[in-house]
Amino acid sequence: MLFRVLGRVGVGTGMAEHEVHEVRGPVARGLLTLLVLEEGRPVTPARLVSSLWDDPPEAARRNTASHVTELRRQLATCLPEAAERLRTVSGPEGTSYRLDVEPDELDATLLRDLVVRGTTALRAGNAGQAVEPLERAVALWGGPLGWECAVSTELRRRFDAFDDLYATARERLVEARLALGGNTELVPEIHAILARDPLRESAWGLLVRALRGRGEAAGTFAAHTRPIPGPTAPGDAAGGRAAHGGGVFIPRARLSPEGPTHRIPQPRKH
């Protein structure tokens, strides 16, 4: 079983996206997303409300238990054993809710752990051992967190770390394949990473390495000084002129063949 919040929100029986049974409704999706990100820690009703709404309606405060009941009902429809994992618990702060799960049953936690495993192997010089967990991490991504969810600004701030983590997984996979002898066949994947974040210096470093591996001096120089389109001026069509008359160039001095090591989000302490 795998609780999924990376892209479509729901529960599945495997890694493939088509195996996801979706949860319906923004409140149910937001609640499941919060519980997954809490990794089994109890969530109080007050925390639930503040995580799903910036300015919660009075009905939200009164109906917390009803929202949990509705999520449990939907999980039972998706996968009966999934509903049993949503527990109501009592503690010093009163009633709370938690998912009774293992780390590898939460896609966001599994993504982080796979990237850690792959990165550890890569930094130890075992590129071959790094490929499998990094491939699994990349395959696990179904899209950004928060898809059609009720979510507060406070909770949304936690989502950005996973976008960066996905980009890091893709970069480390390219790095492992470069270490195993790959070169220019990896360029399209590096370009795809840069299309998402043109100022990601570590990806530029990988592009330089891939081109240099085939001795493409001209391509390597171009990669060092590639223009990044600036923001389009208001009213311009997509792809029109840049607002400030040109793009931004990445100077050669700022690029490192290894690129910076991105921080991997760590689990929140209990």
Side-chain angles (χ1 to χ4, degrees):
M1 185 188 324
L2 187 65
F3 288 91
R4 302 195 62 138
V5 296
L6 299 172
R8 296 162 65 193
V9 178
V11 62
T13 55
M15 298 277 286
E17 190 176 357
H18 70 269
E19 297 173 332
V20 180
H21 302 278
E22 288 188 66
V23 166
R24 306 287 180 183
V27 174
R29 288 191 184 110
L31 176 54
L32 183 57
T33 298
L34 172 63
L35 292 169
V36 167
L37 293 185
E38 288 303 313
E39 303 181 54
R41 291 178 291 272
V43 176
T44 64
R47 174 77 188 288
L48 187 160
V49 170
S50 68
S51 296
L52 300 191
W53 292 277
D54 285 322
D55 185 16
E58 187 57 36
R61 302 181 190 278
R62 293 195 308 267
N63 298 329
T64 302
S66 298
H67 295 316
V68 175
T69 299
E70 171 60 17
L71 174 59
R72 189 178 282 120
R73 184 194 67 78
Q74 289 201 44
L75 290 175
T77 302
C78 294
L79 206 62
E81 56 266 38
E84 299 172 6
R85 302 297 190 91
L86 176 50
R87 302 292 177 85
T88 301
V89 296
S90 298
E93 299 182 65
T95 299
S96 298
Y97 308 99
R98 63 182 289 267
L99 287 177
D100 186 10
V101 290
E102 297 298 323
D104 62 358
E105 294 177 313
L106 304 170
D107 67 346
T109 302
L110 184 57
L111 174 68
R112 184 194 64 223
D113 292 348
L114 288 168
V115 175
V116 169
R117 280 176 49 196
T119 299
T120 300
L122 193 58
R123 297 298 174 249
N126 298 319
Q129 294 180 20
V131 169
E132 187 269 339
L134 292 171
E135 284 182 337
R136 289 180 61 198
V138 171
L140 193 60
W141 184 260
L145 276 79
W147 182 71
E148 294 189 0
C149 288
V151 57
S152 68
T153 303
E154 172 196 350
L155 181 58
R156 190 170 295 281
R157 289 193 188 103
R158 297 175 61 183
F159 295 171
D160 293 341
F162 289 93
D163 290 338
D164 184 70
L165 186 58
Y166 171 56
T168 298
R170 296 175 73 182
E171 285 181 346
R172 300 278 163 80
L173 183 55
V174 168
E175 185 178 348
R177 287 172 171 162
L178 282 170
L180 293 172
N183 40 60
T184 51
E185 74 277 7
L186 299 171
V187 168
E189 171 64 5
I190 302 171
H191 282 166
I193 296 169
L194 287 168
R196 290 172 58 96
D197 185 357
L199 298 181
R200 197 172 179 91
E201 295 180 21
S202 46
W204 284 105
L206 292 172
L207 182 59
V208 170
R209 288 176 61 187
L211 295 170
R212 190 172 58 194
R214 286 285 290 267
E216 296 189 15
T220 301
F221 177 80
H224 274 289
T225 57
R226 180 170 178 154
I228 305 296
T232 55
D236 283 357
R241 65 179 178 83
H244 301 293
V248 177
F249 284 80
I250 303 297
R252 283 170 283 177
R254 290 182 58 197
L255 283 171
S256 162
E258 297 299 329
T261 299
H262 289 278
R263 179 179 178 273
I264 294 174
Q266 297 301 309
R268 293 162 67 94
K269 295 182 179 179
H270 290 269

Short mmCIF file of all heavy atoms in Angstrom, two decimals, residues 1-3 10-14 19 21-23 71-85:
data_model
loop_
_atom_site.label_atom_id
_atom_site.label_comp_id
_atom_site.label_asym_id
_atom_site.label_seq_id
_atom_site.Cartn_x
_atom_site.Cartn_y
_atom_site.Cartn_z
N MET A 1 0.84 -1.19 0.00
CA MET A 1 0.00 0.00 0.00
C MET A 1 0.88 1.24 0.00
O MET A 1 1.93 1.27 0.64
CB MET A 1 -0.89 0.00 1.25
CG MET A 1 -1.89 1.13 1.28
SD MET A 1 -2.78 1.27 2.85
CE MET A 1 -2.99 -0.43 3.32
N LEU A 2 0.44 2.26 -0.72
CA LEU A 2 1.20 3.50 -0.80
C LEU A 2 0.24 4.69 -0.78
O LEU A 2 -0.58 4.85 -1.68
CB LEU A 2 2.05 3.53 -2.07
CG LEU A 2 3.03 4.69 -2.23
CD1 LEU A 2 4.12 4.63 -1.16
CD2 LEU A 2 3.66 4.69 -3.62
N PHE A 3 0.34 5.51 0.27
CA PHE A 3 -0.42 6.75 0.32
C PHE A 3 0.30 7.78 -0.55
O PHE A 3 1.50 8.01 -0.36
CB PHE A 3 -0.54 7.25 1.76
CG PHE A 3 -1.48 6.43 2.61
CD1 PHE A 3 -1.01 5.35 3.33
CD2 PHE A 3 -2.82 6.75 2.66
CE1 PHE A 3 -1.86 4.59 4.11
CE2 PHE A 3 -3.70 5.98 3.44
CZ PHE A 3 -3.21 4.90 4.16
N GLY A 10 -4.27 10.22 -3.08
CA GLY A 10 -5.07 9.04 -2.82
C GLY A 10 -4.22 7.92 -2.27
O GLY A 10 -3.21 8.14 -1.59
N VAL A 11 -4.61 6.70 -2.58
CA VAL A 11 -3.89 5.53 -2.08
C VAL A 11 -3.81 4.52 -3.21
O VAL A 11 -4.71 4.42 -4.05
CB VAL A 11 -4.61 4.93 -0.85
CG1 VAL A 11 -6.02 4.48 -1.20
CG2 VAL A 11 -3.82 3.80 -0.24
N GLY A 12 -2.69 3.80 -3.28
CA GLY A 12 -2.49 2.85 -4.36
C GLY A 12 -1.91 1.55 -3.86
O GLY A 12 -1.52 1.42 -2.69
N THR A 13 -1.82 0.61 -4.77
CA THR A 13 -1.28 -0.71 -4.43
C THR A 13 0.12 -0.91 -4.97
O THR A 13 0.71 -1.97 -4.80
CB THR A 13 -2.20 -1.80 -4.99
OG1 THR A 13 -2.36 -1.59 -6.41
CG2 THR A 13 -3.56 -1.76 -4.34
N GLY A 14 0.67 0.11 -5.63
CA GLY A 14 2.01 0.00 -6.18
C GLY A 14 2.54 1.36 -6.56
O GLY A 14 1.95 2.39 -6.25
N GLU A 19 -2.23 3.14 -10.75
CA GLU A 19 -2.74 2.31 -9.67
C GLU A 19 -3.28 3.15 -8.51
O GLU A 19 -3.66 2.61 -7.47
CB GLU A 19 -1.64 1.38 -9.16
CG GLU A 19 -1.15 0.38 -10.20
CD GLU A 19 0.05 -0.42 -9.71
OE1 GLU A 19 0.80 0.10 -8.86
OE2 GLU A 19 0.23 -1.55 -10.17
N HIS A 21 -5.90 5.19 -6.42
CA HIS A 21 -7.33 5.43 -6.22
C HIS A 21 -7.45 6.80 -5.58
O HIS A 21 -7.01 7.01 -4.45
CB HIS A 21 -7.93 4.36 -5.31
CG HIS A 21 -7.75 2.96 -5.82
ND1 HIS A 21 -8.58 2.40 -6.77
CD2 HIS A 21 -6.82 2.02 -5.52
CE1 HIS A 21 -8.18 1.17 -7.03
NE2 HIS A 21 -7.11 0.91 -6.29
N GLU A 22 -8.04 7.73 -6.29
CA GLU A 22 -8.03 9.13 -5.85
C GLU A 22 -9.05 9.42 -4.77
O GLU A 22 -10.14 8.86 -4.75
CB GLU A 22 -8.29 10.05 -7.04
CG GLU A 22 -7.14 10.15 -8.02
CD GLU A 22 -7.40 11.22 -9.06
OE1 GLU A 22 -7.45 12.41 -8.68
OE2 GLU A 22 -7.55 10.86 -10.24
N VAL A 23 -8.66 10.33 -3.88
CA VAL A 23 -9.56 10.90 -2.89
C VAL A 23 -10.21 12.12 -3.52
O VAL A 23 -9.55 12.90 -4.22
CB VAL A 23 -8.77 11.28 -1.62
CG1 VAL A 23 -9.59 12.17 -0.70
CG2 VAL A 23 -8.33 10.02 -0.88
N LEU A 71 -12.97 11.42 5.03
CA LEU A 71 -11.73 10.88 4.46
C LEU A 71 -11.65 9.38 4.72
O LEU A 71 -11.29 8.61 3.81
CB LEU A 71 -10.52 11.59 5.06
CG LEU A 71 -9.16 11.02 4.64
CD1 LEU A 71 -8.97 11.07 3.12
CD2 LEU A 71 -8.02 11.78 5.34
N ARG A 72 -11.99 8.96 5.92
CA ARG A 72 -11.95 7.52 6.24
C ARG A 72 -12.92 6.75 5.33
O ARG A 72 -12.60 5.64 4.87
CB ARG A 72 -12.27 7.32 7.72
CG ARG A 72 -12.04 5.89 8.20
CD ARG A 72 -12.32 5.76 9.68
NE ARG A 72 -11.22 6.28 10.49
CZ ARG A 72 -11.33 7.28 11.36
NH1 ARG A 72 -12.50 7.91 11.51
NH2 ARG A 72 -10.30 7.67 12.07
N ARG A 73 -14.10 7.31 5.09
CA ARG A 73 -15.07 6.65 4.21
C ARG A 73 -14.52 6.50 2.80
O ARG A 73 -14.64 5.44 2.17
CB ARG A 73 -16.37 7.47 4.18
CG ARG A 73 -17.50 6.81 3.37
CD ARG A 73 -18.61 7.79 3.08
NE ARG A 73 -18.19 8.86 2.18
CZ ARG A 73 -18.08 8.71 0.86
NH1 ARG A 73 -18.33 7.53 0.28
NH2 ARG A 73 -17.70 9.72 0.11
N GLN A 74 -13.88 7.56 2.29
CA GLN A 74 -13.33 7.49 0.94
C GLN A 74 -12.17 6.50 0.86
O GLN A 74 -12.04 5.77 -0.13
CB GLN A 74 -12.85 8.88 0.50
CG GLN A 74 -13.97 9.86 0.24
CD GLN A 74 -13.52 11.00 -0.65
OE1 GLN A 74 -12.83 10.80 -1.65
NE2 GLN A 74 -13.90 12.21 -0.28
N LEU A 75 -11.34 6.47 1.88
CA LEU A 75 -10.23 5.51 1.89
C LEU A 75 -10.76 4.08 1.87
O LEU A 75 -10.19 3.20 1.20
CB LEU A 75 -9.34 5.73 3.10
CG LEU A 75 -8.49 7.01 3.10
CD1 LEU A 75 -7.75 7.17 4.42
CD2 LEU A 75 -7.50 7.02 1.93
N ALA A 76 -11.84 3.83 2.61
CA ALA A 76 -12.43 2.49 2.63
C ALA A 76 -12.94 2.11 1.25
O ALA A 76 -12.87 0.94 0.85
CB ALA A 76 -13.57 2.44 3.65
N THR A 77 -13.45 3.09 0.51
CA THR A 77 -13.92 2.83 -0.86
C THR A 77 -12.74 2.56 -1.78
O THR A 77 -12.80 1.68 -2.66
CB THR A 77 -14.74 4.02 -1.38
OG1 THR A 77 -15.84 4.26 -0.51
CG2 THR A 77 -15.25 3.76 -2.79
N CYS A 78 -11.67 3.31 -1.59
CA CYS A 78 -10.47 3.14 -2.43
C CYS A 78 -9.79 1.79 -2.16
O CYS A 78 -9.47 1.03 -3.08
CB CYS A 78 -9.46 4.25 -2.14
SG CYS A 78 -9.98 5.90 -2.63
N LEU A 79 -9.56 1.52 -0.88
CA LEU A 79 -8.82 0.34 -0.46
C LEU A 79 -9.19 0.10 1.02
O LEU A 79 -8.78 0.88 1.88
CB LEU A 79 -7.32 0.60 -0.61
CG LEU A 79 -6.40 -0.59 -0.82
CD1 LEU A 79 -6.73 -1.32 -2.12
CD2 LEU A 79 -4.94 -0.13 -0.84
N PRO A 80 -9.98 -0.91 1.30
CA PRO A 80 -10.50 -1.08 2.66
C PRO A 80 -9.46 -1.01 3.76
O PRO A 80 -9.69 -0.37 4.80
CB PRO A 80 -11.17 -2.46 2.60
CG PRO A 80 -11.57 -2.61 1.17
CD PRO A 80 -10.48 -1.93 0.38
N GLU A 81 -8.30 -1.63 3.56
CA GLU A 81 -7.29 -1.62 4.62
C GLU A 81 -6.69 -0.24 4.85
O GLU A 81 -6.13 0.04 5.91
CB GLU A 81 -6.18 -2.63 4.34
CG GLU A 81 -5.48 -2.46 3.00
CD GLU A 81 -6.06 -3.31 1.89
OE1 GLU A 81 -7.31 -3.45 1.85
OE2 GLU A 81 -5.28 -3.81 1.07
N ALA A 82 -6.82 0.66 3.85
CA ALA A 82 -6.29 2.01 4.01
C ALA A 82 -7.05 2.77 5.09
O ALA A 82 -6.48 3.55 5.85
CB ALA A 82 -6.33 2.77 2.69
N ALA A 83 -8.37 2.57 5.14
CA ALA A 83 -9.18 3.27 6.13
C ALA A 83 -8.78 2.88 7.55
O ALA A 83 -8.87 3.70 8.48
CB ALA A 83 -10.65 2.98 5.90
N GLU A 84 -8.33 1.65 7.74
CA GLU A 84 -7.93 1.18 9.06
C GLU A 84 -6.66 1.87 9.55
O GLU A 84 -6.38 1.88 10.76
CB GLU A 84 -7.73 -0.34 9.03
CG GLU A 84 -8.98 -1.11 8.66
CD GLU A 84 -8.70 -2.59 8.46
OE1 GLU A 84 -7.55 -3.01 8.73
OE2 GLU A 84 -9.63 -3.31 8.04
N ARG A 85 -5.90 2.45 8.62
CA ARG A 85 -4.64 3.12 8.99
C ARG A 85 -4.88 4.54 9.52
O ARG A 85 -3.99 5.13 10.10
CB ARG A 85 -3.71 3.20 7.79
CG ARG A 85 -3.37 1.85 7.18
CD ARG A 85 -2.61 0.96 8.14
NE ARG A 85 -2.10 -0.22 7.46
CZ ARG A 85 -0.91 -0.29 6.88
NH1 ARG A 85 -0.11 0.77 6.93
NH2 ARG A 85 -0.53 -1.39 6.27
#
